[in-house]
Amino acid sequence: MTAVNPSTTEDPGPSVASLDTIVSLSKRRGFIFPSSEIYGGINAVWDYGPLGVELKNNVKRAWWRAMVQEREDIVGLDASIIMAPQVWVTSGHVANFTDPLVECATCRRRFRLDELPGAENLTNTEMQDPTVVDRLGLKCPVDAGPLSAPRRFNLMFKTYMGPVEEEAAQVYLRPETAQGIYVNFRNVRETSRKKLPFGIAQIGKAFRNEISPGNFVFRMREFEQMEMQYFVKPDEAARFFNEWKPRRKAWYERYGVNPARLRFRQHRPDELAHYAKEAWDVEYRFPFGWKELEGIHNRGDWDLGRHQKESGENLEYFDPATNESYVPWIVETSAGGDRAAFTFLIDAYREEEVRGEKRVVLAFNPDLAPYKVAVLPLLKKRDEIVEKCHALRDDLAKDMLAVYDDTAAIGKLYRRQDEIGTPWCVTIDVESLEDGKATVRDRDSMEQIRVDLSQVKPLIMERLAKARG
Ligand code: GAP
């Protein structure tokens, strides 16, 4: 899509030229693997390895801290993935959650119309025009075969609830976590005794049968969302929207994403989702271009208004300050857990030359780094050194993920930790046995300092707290 109001026009370029570099590092180091790989994989589904799960958990924790823990006006929720099917009729997803699909008559491949060369800038209205393929002379990008007229393809996954596979038993896997929040609005408000404005935050899986997933974990069919719905008085929606917009971009910057690679883009009126009155994306400069990282939406009273009407339940808010009752409006911040972790991974990537050799570093904010610290013996043949290393690692591990490694020479061990983003390495050597000190090495500056063994943990804890901000 053509950018509307991008907040910056300069292209800083990506942090890494080719996505393949990240895909291969992810596989080699245990961040992300293709799902079901021993059976040839399954398209657009990925698994997180030992380091990937730590990174993604840290991203989710950082989001929860900013959106729930640090806010008096936001509470959390964990709603189910399978909901009453009527929810998706009421929300408009059954009728409107579609992408324009075209099919090649010869190879049978299916494509999203707006991702075909020459059709990238079509408006929603144009994409529904049955003559658009002929008019633009579009052909199959694989074998140049003729393409069908576009049809609306619903992205929701369907399954059956219970032992009978009939239409009455059909349910959906949620395509967004937001609806779980709306249908719980009254329960949460009453039990938490929150007054407007207040928010409900949730992290959880969502599923979309994307026509053209891809770019590694950027667009998947099973993914996680980190969504927050902020319920406000209708005439205050614009004000809160304008507060949440910069706050969400600042969150990525707080955790180290280069501000030059972030920008806002407003959705054109014809591009807006069926529920949105106004929508802005926080975009990131991925190796494959500027793309959506997170959406901020003014959903008006679309969701609560429709759920109130269709369920017959009163979802209004009684405002004791004005003695009025009204359906709250919603300002939504909708981030992808996978897409955020992917962004932090890409943006942290650095290649440097150190003494004539290439050094690869993932310069994560320490709070997001999978391992916070690696404890390394300089001589693995000396039992006293190895014992001290294990004792230190065990003590550190009570408060953070710490790893012991003695499977290579020290230079190689440092490089290995740099490449997975471990902010600090602690080395115990022969001298440590005499003076009770260890060497603490910083990943980014490579500076080394000698510290009393008893001071290693307080030092790392202090640096971690500082990184958290
Ligand atoms: N509740 C609003 C909503 O779902 P969205 O813009 O469709 O809005 C929000 O999605 C965020 O979810 C996106 O910005 C992206 O980070 C993530 N997301 C959406 N589809 C995705 C997919 N197929 N794979 C990975 N992440 C996805």
Side-chain angles (χ1 to χ4, degrees):
M1 297 269 178
T2 312
V4 182
N5 300 333
S7 53
T8 164
T9 44
E10 277 171 33
D11 186 350
S15 68
V16 49
S18 164
L19 184 59
D20 292 344
T21 309
I22 298 295
V23 177
S24 118
L25 186 149
S26 297
K27 176 84 198 294
R28 196 161 27 86
R29 290 299 190 201
F31 281 92
I32 300 171
F33 308 125
S35 169
S36 322
E37 195 181 11
I38 59 168
Y39 289 100
I42 170 166
N43 196 8
V45 191
W46 297 88
D47 295 342
Y48 286 81
L51 296 185
V53 66
E54 297 298 339
L55 171 64
K56 195 159 88 155
N57 280 345
N58 292 340
V59 168
K60 290 191 282 184
R61 259 194 293 269
W63 185 87
W64 197 263
R65 192 178 314 115
M67 301 299 280
V68 180
Q69 187 180 323
E70 291 176 1
R71 305 232 16 145
E72 273 192 282
D73 55 349
I74 303 181
V75 291
L77 181 76
D78 184 11
S80 58
I81 287 172
I82 297 174
M83 305 177 69
Q86 181 59 38
V87 168
W88 305 108
V89 177
T90 305
S91 69
H93 284 79
V94 169
N96 300 311
F97 197 58
T98 58
D99 273 340
L101 177 144
V102 291
E103 186 172 324
C104 172
T106 46
C107 71
R108 295 310 211 198
R109 283 192 178 83
R110 293 170 163 194
F111 304 94
R112 227 175 94 168
L113 175 62
D114 55 336
E115 290 190 344
L116 289 177
E120 299 94 336
N121 296 326
L122 291 176
T123 64
N124 271 350
T125 324
E126 286 168 325
M127 282 191 282
Q128 283 166 37
D129 172 4
T131 67
V132 69
V133 168
D134 289 342
R135 205 162 36 78
L136 297 181
L138 300 173
K139 295 279 180 233
C140 171
V142 177
D143 66 0
L147 293 171
S148 66
R151 73 177 167 88
R152 284 153 60 107
F153 175 77
N154 196 295
L155 302 186
M156 283 197 292
F157 276 99
K158 294 177 193 133
T159 186
Y160 297 96
M161 185 100 146
V164 188
E165 291 195 5
E166 60 184 16
E167 207 176 306
Q170 190 178 283
V171 291
Y172 301 97
L173 301 187
R174 66 182 177 197
E176 61 168 10
T177 59
Q179 297 300 325
I181 293 181
Y182 306 143
V183 299
N184 276 297
F185 165 71
R186 201 172 62 190
N187 284 339
V188 174
R189 187 183 57 74
E190 285 175 0
T191 52
S192 63
R193 288 172 285 109
K194 290 285 175 205
K195 292 198 170 62
L196 255 55
F198 80 95
I200 305 177
Q202 170 167 227
I203 298 177
K205 289 265 183 177
F207 302 82
R208 294 183 189 178
N209 198 4
E210 300 279 2
I211 298 170
S212 49
N215 286 325
F216 196 30
V217 293
F218 176 79
R219 188 173 292 139
M220 300 187 281
R221 293 198 167 114
E222 172 182 339
F223 57 98
E224 267 187 291
Q225 289 191 313
M226 309 189 292
E227 297 200 303
M228 193 281 298
Q229 315 296 323
Y230 204 66
F231 299 91
V232 301
K233 207 172 161 189
D235 62 9
E236 291 183 334
R239 175 161 74 84
F240 286 112
F241 186 88
N242 290 331
E243 280 182 22
W244 277 107
K245 212 178 91 186
R247 197 178 281 146
R248 287 307 308 150
K249 181 164 164 279
W251 181 78
Y252 295 97
E253 293 168 7
R254 169 178 166 186
Y255 284 95
V257 175
N258 182 344
R261 292 198 198 99
L262 291 168
R263 72 178 189 188
F264 284 115
R265 186 181 75 84
Q266 184 174 20
H267 286 211
R268 295 186 309 254
D270 74 284
E271 189 195 346
L272 287 171
H274 60 274
Y275 50 74
K277 288 192 180 308
E278 182 178 356
W280 289 72
D281 290 341
V282 178
E283 288 192 330
Y284 176 72
R285 177 57 166 96
F286 289 95
F288 40 90
W290 288 100
K291 298 278 174 201
E292 174 183 350
L293 172 56
E294 166 162 354
I296 295 119
H297 311 129
N298 178 348
R299 296 180 73 131
D301 64 354
W302 168 271
D303 301 277
L304 286 187
R306 285 178 62 110
H307 284 305
Q308 170 164 274
K309 184 160 173 279
E310 296 304 321
S311 67
E313 298 284 333
N314 181 6
L315 300 181
E316 289 187 345
Y317 173 76
F318 174 72
D319 192 335
T322 59
N323 272 342
E324 295 170 276
S325 285
Y326 49 81
V327 172
W329 279 31
I330 291 165
V331 174
E332 168 184 65
T333 70
S334 178
D338 307 271
R339 208 171 278 183
F342 182 41
T343 300
F344 288 118
L345 179 64
I346 296 175
D347 207 67
Y349 187 87
R350 317 255 185 285
E351 278 179 20
E352 302 169 355
E353 208 182 286
V354 178
R355 288 184 287 281
E357 274 187 39
K358 186 170 107 172
R359 177 173 98 114
V360 173
V361 186
L362 287 181
F364 289 128
N365 176 301
D367 200 32
L368 302 184
Y371 294 132
K372 306 305 178 208
V373 57
V375 184
L376 316 170
L378 207 68
L379 269 184
K380 70 171 173 181
K381 289 196 186 113
R382 288 286 294 267
D383 289 347
E384 312 96 286
I385 294 181
V386 171
E387 273 162 30
K388 276 198 185 308
C389 282
H390 281 298
L392 178 62
R393 194 223 71 99
D394 291 351
D395 186 37
L396 287 162
K398 290 180 189 141
D399 291 281
M400 67 193 80
L401 205 67
V403 64
Y404 169 89
D405 193 2
D406 65 7
T407 55
I410 193 69
K412 196 158 181 202
L413 292 180
Y414 282 153
R415 293 288 175 274
R416 196 182 281 168
Q417 294 302 326
D418 289 343
E419 203 187 12
I420 60 174
T422 308
W424 302 290
C425 289
V426 181
T427 309
I428 296 187
D429 52 26
V430 180
E431 233 181 298
S432 311
L433 302 175
E434 307 280 306
D435 65 5
K437 291 187 180 194
T439 302
V440 179
R441 173 192 181 264
D442 183 88
R443 174 196 66 201
D444 300 334
S445 65
M446 291 187 287
E447 192 184 87
Q448 304 190 2
I449 52 168
R450 287 293 278 183
V451 178
D452 237 51
L453 266 169
S454 64
Q455 290 310 302
V456 169
K457 187 167 171 183
L459 175 78
I460 306 268
M461 297 283 277
E462 188 191 313
R463 288 183 178 181
L464 261 180
K466 205 165 151 205
R468 218 166 261 156

